[in-house]
Amino acid sequence: MNETALTVHQTARPQGFPTAEHFAFVESTVPDPAAGSALVENLYWSVDPYHREMMDDIPGGFALGEPLEGRTIGRVIASRTPQLAEGEIVFHRQGWRTHAVVTPEEIRKLPHFDGVPLTAFLSTLGGTGLTAYVGLTRIARLQEGEDLFVSAAAGGVGTATARFARLLGAGRLVGSAGSAAKAAHLTREVGYDAAFDYHDGPAADLLGKAAPDGIDVFVDNVGGEQLAAAVGALRDFGRIVRVGTISQYNNPDAPSPRFDYSDIVGKSIRMEGFLVRNYRDLQDELYEFAVPHLQSGRLARDETVVDGFEGIVDAFVGMLRGENTGKIIVRDRTQAGPGSPDQR
């Protein structure tokens, strides 16, 4: 076992986009588990857009000089509790570190599904997939044949939303992305009927061309101008699912979107935001829905995998700048080859 542990600490509050200078890798000896706990060697790490919000000085945000939290999968390598056996693969939230001491209450034991790799539990079957599933089934209450518009459609939630919507019988799918290449990827690989690069002009014009007959549901990861455009494009009884506001994470002074508020009343539009942590009781339902499709090949995983824990900060910053498609996951180098748990 490696005798040195690494953790990532935030060292300063960013103004605008964070950089590598806002973080520090801190070495320490590998901790010993206390009675009732176990030591986990982490294998896969998730970096997510919400981490950017946590970097600001907000209630519940990251504390400076402390290890950062995040969704993580690891292997128990030493245990002082009968509830966690050595060798077990577990999910926990003490991410951004190579080793973590956890209690049985802080972990979730991951089920084994034939043909489903561990990375799926951070993407399609993880918080990313659960966000898409909750947004479609509980917030939008998607009906067969309804048309969707999804912002940040090439990201983890955006790709999962499209693939789940197809399985749920959605009609026309329209997505926005940050480049022409990503827009092309959405229609060629992910299953969107139309997609546009939001840099190419006013969002209302671009959406109007992509969805000339309007939309029923808008899954919003961005906010700003695209939210305003969606309000104008929504049909009567349309729904807006608010997942995130990426457009403001690195620009908190950005103006709020301007739209005709009378549309909300006149078209009976419903807008609702949610936190996926309030829907963790749907985890098994997500497995029941998605796993058979993963096993049959009907549901593809959209992942960008970065090898090496030392790349976690660069992966996070790159994700904020849109350098990934699908869910971005950092993988320990030992898991890249045949015979790793990812290949089970």
Side-chain angles (χ1 to χ4, degrees):
M1 182 181 73
N2 191 333
E3 297 299 324
T4 301
L6 281 177
T7 60
V8 177
H9 295 188
Q10 183 181 336
T11 58
R13 304 287 182 197
Q15 299 297 318
F17 272 95
T19 68
E21 284 66 41
H22 292 102
F23 302 89
F25 285 85
V26 178
E27 288 190 3
S28 64
T29 57
V30 173
D32 291 321
S37 68
L39 175 64
V40 174
E41 182 177 43
N42 292 328
L43 306 174
Y44 299 91
W45 300 265
S46 174
V47 293
D48 296 284
Y50 81 87
H51 287 142
R52 174 60 188 87
E53 281 190 291
M54 300 283 283
M55 293 184 72
D56 292 332
D57 189 11
I58 60 172
F62 293 147
L64 297 182
E66 297 293 334
L68 307 185
E69 71 90 34
R71 302 179 180 114
T72 309
I73 293 171
R75 181 194 298 113
V76 176
I77 59 174
S79 179
R80 296 189 64 191
T81 169
Q83 294 174 267
L84 291 173
E86 292 184 11
E88 280 194 287
I89 302 296
V90 298
F91 169 94
H92 65 89
R93 299 191 68 92
Q94 294 189 43
W96 297 71
R97 67 191 84 187
T98 57
H99 299 77
V101 173
V102 300
T103 65
E105 295 74 28
E106 293 173 325
I107 64 92
R108 185 172 80 243
K109 296 181 181 180
L110 296 180
H112 171 73
F113 300 118
D114 288 340
V116 178
L118 283 175
T119 54
F121 292 97
L122 292 179
S123 59
T124 309
L125 301 180
T128 297
L130 188 59
T131 298
Y133 184 76
V134 168
L136 290 171
T137 64
R138 296 310 197 271
I139 312 301
R141 301 167 198 167
L142 181 70
Q143 301 298 307
E144 189 171 349
E146 288 188 319
D147 300 327
L148 276 76
F149 169 45
V150 183
S151 59
V157 172
T159 51
T161 295
R163 295 194 185 276
F164 287 177
R166 278 281 176 245
L167 294 171
L168 292 167
R172 184 171 175 81
L173 299 181
V174 175
S176 68
S179 70
K182 283 190 173 184
H185 174 79
L186 291 175
T187 56
R188 185 180 62 249
E189 302 291 342
V190 182
Y192 279 90
D193 296 292
F196 59 84
D197 177 356
Y198 66 83
H199 297 104
D200 284 348
D205 293 345
L206 296 169
L207 180 56
K209 293 177 182 177
D213 297 324
I215 56 174
D216 298 295
V217 173
F218 174 41
V219 179
D220 185 19
N221 297 288
V222 173
E225 183 187 5
Q226 296 186 60
L227 172 57
V231 171
L234 279 164
R235 301 171 182 141
D236 289 352
F237 304 104
R239 285 88 74 204
I240 299 171
V241 181
R242 292 282 290 118
V243 176
T245 313
I246 296 173
S247 64
Q248 292 185 318
Y249 288 170
N250 299 296
N251 186 14
D253 298 324
S256 298
R258 301 186 62 174
F259 54 84
D260 188 347
Y261 288 89
S262 65
D263 277 346
I264 302 293
V265 176
K267 295 194 285 187
S268 299
I269 292 171
R270 177 168 56 84
M271 181 189 302
E272 183 176 348
F274 71 99
L275 296 173
V276 72
R277 69 187 182 210
N278 294 326
Y279 291 87
R280 289 176 184 159
D281 60 321
L282 297 182
Q283 186 68 58
D284 287 339
E285 183 178 320
L286 173 63
Y287 290 160
E288 292 174 7
F289 169 74
V291 168
H293 295 303
L294 285 170
Q295 292 173 323
S296 71
R298 191 178 179 200
L299 176 60
R301 294 174 294 114
D302 299 276
E303 299 172 353
T304 296
V305 178
V306 174
D307 279 325
F309 179 74
E310 68 277 7
I312 193 169
V313 171
D314 290 340
F316 171 61
V317 174
M319 179 266 300
L320 292 178
R321 295 192 177 277
E323 295 175 3
N324 61 296
T325 53
K327 178 73 186 77
I328 189 161
I329 297 169
V330 179
R331 175 174 62 185
D332 187 82
R333 293 185 186 279
T334 63
Q335 305 307 299
S340 71
D342 193 32
Q343 308 299 317
R344 64 182 183 167

